[in-house]
């Protein structure tokens, strides 16, 4: 497919908002490749990428069009800062970045006209992901004919309790029966795995950086502990489980293996990712026997009487098996 300039974007069936080049590929591989297999036009909008590196090449090779927004990533905006700053803290310039992402979405969405839009949930704390999440909720919701799904970032979502902490922080309101959709975890178990993803990406510089992020992560866990999914006043979300369609799981694994972040052996990193994905599939699979399962959070209308997402029954038949 093509690397498309922002000014030349046309219509697509699906739009994947990916803060960095590997985020949508790791988190939405089965969904993304399944749409391509059905002949749908798919666009990955990479917010904080300005050059077409190897991960972009992998997406293009699988029939996905890519657009690079070229915004400065947190690692550049806060060069030399510890991961605690990049992962959990806000700075004055973040408000400007949020506005820039909002303007980008306002410009791109009407031209792309995608029925299905996927944006990050913000699991794991990285500020680039959370800014993308907030801008999506501000600009991309409640549009007739458009469905906004929040995807669970991988490998961040593999950490026990990480998705639940994130849902608590955004005060998500869940439907009856979904209270326990996201796994609970004690503080020690949560902290034990929370640094695995940034360590694999090379964001952590030694033990001082690791320990420095523990305090911020623990603070978020405590803040989210009082969350009541039935009484919260944040976005209304519906969890939807998507098992990989026949023949798609091997393709998804091949995509993971190509883009999985690592500071060592790519083969070993891909195997660790696969094992974690299999374990996660057993947790969220909803009784399915599939080895590859992804979970999305459909954003429901926020106001009484608002238009329901388009073709809700069809979406559920595709995403929930």
């Amino acid at each position: 497919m093509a690397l498309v300039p922002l000014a030349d974007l046309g219509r697509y069936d699906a739009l994947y908002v990916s803060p960095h080049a590997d985020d949508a590929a790791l988190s939405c591989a089965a969904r993304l490749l399944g749409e391509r297999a059905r002949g749908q036009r798919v666009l990955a909008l990479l917010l904080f990428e300005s050059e077409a590196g190897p991960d972009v090449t992998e997406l293009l090779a699988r029939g996905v069009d890519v657009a690079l927004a070229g915004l400065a990533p947190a690692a550049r905006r806060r060069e030399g800062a510890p991961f605690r700053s990049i992962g959990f803290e806000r700075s004055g310039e973040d408000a400007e970045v949020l506005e820039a992402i909002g303007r980008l979405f306002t410009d791109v969405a009407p031209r792309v006209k995608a029925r299905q839009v996927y944006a990050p949930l913000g699991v794991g704390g990285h500020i680039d992901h959370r800014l993308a999440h907030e801008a999506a909720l501000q600009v991309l919701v409640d549009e007739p004919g458009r469905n906004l799904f929040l995807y669970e970032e991988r490998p961040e979502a593999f950490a026990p309790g990480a998705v639940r902490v994130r849902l608590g922080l955004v005060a998500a309101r869940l439907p009856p029966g979904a209270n326990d959709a996201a796994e609970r975890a004690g503080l020690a178990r949560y902290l034990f795995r929370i640094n695995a993803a940034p360590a694999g990406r090379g964001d952590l510089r030694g033990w001082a950086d690791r320990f420095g992020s523990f305090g911020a992560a623990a603070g978020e866990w405590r803040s989210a502990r009082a969350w009541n999914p039935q009484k919260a006043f944040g976005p209304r979300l519906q969890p939807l489980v998507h098992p990989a369609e026949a023949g798609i799981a091997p393709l998804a694994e091949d995509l993971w293996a190509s883009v999985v972040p690592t500071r060592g052996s790519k083969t070993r990193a891909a195997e660790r990712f696969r094992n974690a994905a299999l374990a996660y599939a057993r947790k969220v699979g909803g009784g399915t026997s599939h080895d590859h399962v992804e979970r999305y959070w459909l954003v429901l209308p926020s106001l009484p009487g608002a238009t329901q997402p388009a073709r809700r029954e069809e979406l559920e038949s595709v995403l929930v098996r």
Side-chain angles (χ1 to χ4, degrees), residues 246-318:
I248 297 298
L251 302 179
E253 291 190 16
D254 181 65
L255 180 54
W256 297 342
S258 300
V259 304
V260 65
T262 181
R263 300 185 70 182
S265 167
K266 196 81 166 178
T267 301
R268 291 180 181 175
E271 185 63 23
R272 286 194 298 269
F273 189 95
R274 181 179 185 276
N275 291 338
L278 289 172
Y280 199 67
R282 290 192 289 270
K283 293 178 184 177
V284 306
T288 72
S289 59
H290 293 75
D291 289 337
H292 185 111
V293 174
E294 297 165 355
R295 183 171 57 192
Y296 298 85
W297 298 84
L298 175 64
V299 180
L300 302 176
S302 56
L303 297 175
T307 303
Q308 289 289 329
R311 298 169 69 185
R312 173 71 179 279
E313 296 80 5
E314 177 182 316
L315 287 168
E316 291 187 342
S317 69
V318 171

Side-chain angles (χ1 to χ4, degrees), residues 56-318:
V56 172
T57 301
E58 295 295 340
L59 289 170
L60 294 173
R62 289 163 175 80
V64 178
D65 281 1
V66 176
L68 307 178
L71 298 174
R76 191 190 312 162
R77 302 194 305 270
R78 305 175 188 180
E79 188 171 0
F83 179 72
R84 176 189 177 110
S85 174
I86 295 173
F88 297 95
E89 297 176 353
R90 292 288 181 119
S91 69
E93 64 185 357
D94 290 334
E96 299 177 6
V97 176
L98 179 62
E99 291 180 4
I101 299 173
R103 290 193 298 270
L104 176 67
F105 289 166
T106 300
D107 171 58
V108 167
R111 292 190 285 125
V112 171
K113 298 184 185 301
R115 291 184 63 86
Q116 324 299 0
V117 177
Y118 304 84
L121 177 59
V123 180
H126 198 295
I127 188 60
D128 288 346
H129 290 230
R130 295 193 174 182
L131 293 174
H133 166 88
E134 292 172 20
L137 289 182
Q138 290 176 8
V139 177
L140 299 177
V141 298
D142 294 337
E143 179 71 22
R146 178 194 300 152
N147 299 282
L148 175 62
F149 298 93
L150 304 178
Y151 60 81
E152 300 176 352
E153 293 96 323
R154 298 181 173 197
E156 288 80 2
F158 297 153
V163 172
R164 191 171 189 87
V165 167
R166 181 56 179 161
L167 293 172
L169 291 174
V170 302
R173 190 180 184 97
L174 305 184
N179 283 13
D180 296 320
E183 176 189 18
R184 302 174 187 267
L187 178 59
R189 186 163 169 252
Y190 171 68
L191 292 179
F192 182 73
R193 289 288 304 279
I194 197 63
N195 276 335
R201 289 197 168 97
D203 292 334
L204 297 178
R205 296 171 297 176
W207 286 102
D209 217 5
R210 284 177 179 268
F211 287 125
S213 66
F214 279 153
E220 291 197 339
W221 181 89
R222 293 188 183 97
S223 296
R225 185 168 47 175
W227 171 54
N228 185 330
Q230 297 297 297
K231 297 182 179 180
F233 292 97
R236 296 176 58 236
L237 305 180
Q238 169 72 50
L240 299 174
V241 174
H242 174 65
E245 300 161 59
I248 297 298
L251 302 179
E253 291 190 16
D254 181 65
L255 180 54
W256 297 342
S258 300
V259 304
V260 65
T262 181
R263 300 185 70 182
S265 167
K266 196 81 166 178
T267 301
R268 291 180 181 175
E271 185 63 23
R272 286 194 298 269
F273 189 95
R274 181 179 185 276
N275 291 338
L278 289 172
Y280 199 67
R282 290 192 289 270
K283 293 178 184 177
V284 306
T288 72
S289 59
H290 293 75
D291 289 337
H292 185 111
V293 174
E294 297 165 355
R295 183 171 57 192
Y296 298 85
W297 298 84
L298 175 64
V299 180
L300 302 176
S302 56
L303 297 175
T307 303
Q308 289 289 329
R311 298 169 69 185
R312 173 71 179 279
E313 296 80 5
E314 177 182 316
L315 287 168
E316 291 187 342
S317 69
V318 171

